[in-house]
Amino acid sequence: LHQMVLGAASEVVTVSPHYHSKAYHDRNQYMVDRSSRLICYYDGKKGGTDFTVKYAEQQGLTIVNVKETAA
């Protein structure tokens, strides 16, 4: 499935060629910096999604939290 998704992508960006402790953080910041909207499932807990939502807010992105619409 992974190779099928990569093959169908119009562009593939490698933020870091090797895993390191900030790899996901760097990836999320890269995506936010190139976006106008964040669509997420955020439950308010601390972690990567928490950082990404807060960073997106600081950058002025529109944030759609699907957890708020899921009932």
Side-chain angles (χ1 to χ4, degrees):
L1 178 61
H2 182 258
Q3 290 301 319
M4 185 174 72
V5 171
L6 286 177
S10 60
E11 180 181 11
V12 176
V13 175
T14 301
V15 177
S16 175
H18 305 289
Y19 177 80
H20 56 90
S21 61
K22 285 182 54 189
Y24 294 119
H25 173 277
D26 293 349
R27 177 208 56 197
N28 292 345
Q29 188 169 351
Y30 178 91
M31 290 189 299
V32 167
D33 288 344
R34 288 151 182 81
S35 300
S36 60
R37 177 173 298 158
L38 173 70
I39 301 171
C40 61
Y41 185 95
Y42 177 51
D43 58 10
K45 294 180 183 176
K46 298 286 183 191
T49 304
D50 177 60
F51 166 82
T52 304
V53 168
K54 289 177 181 173
Y55 183 67
E57 287 172 343
Q58 292 171 353
Q59 301 306 309
L61 271 67
T62 300
I63 299 172
V64 178
N65 184 358
V66 298
K67 184 178 188 318
E68 295 171 356
T69 60

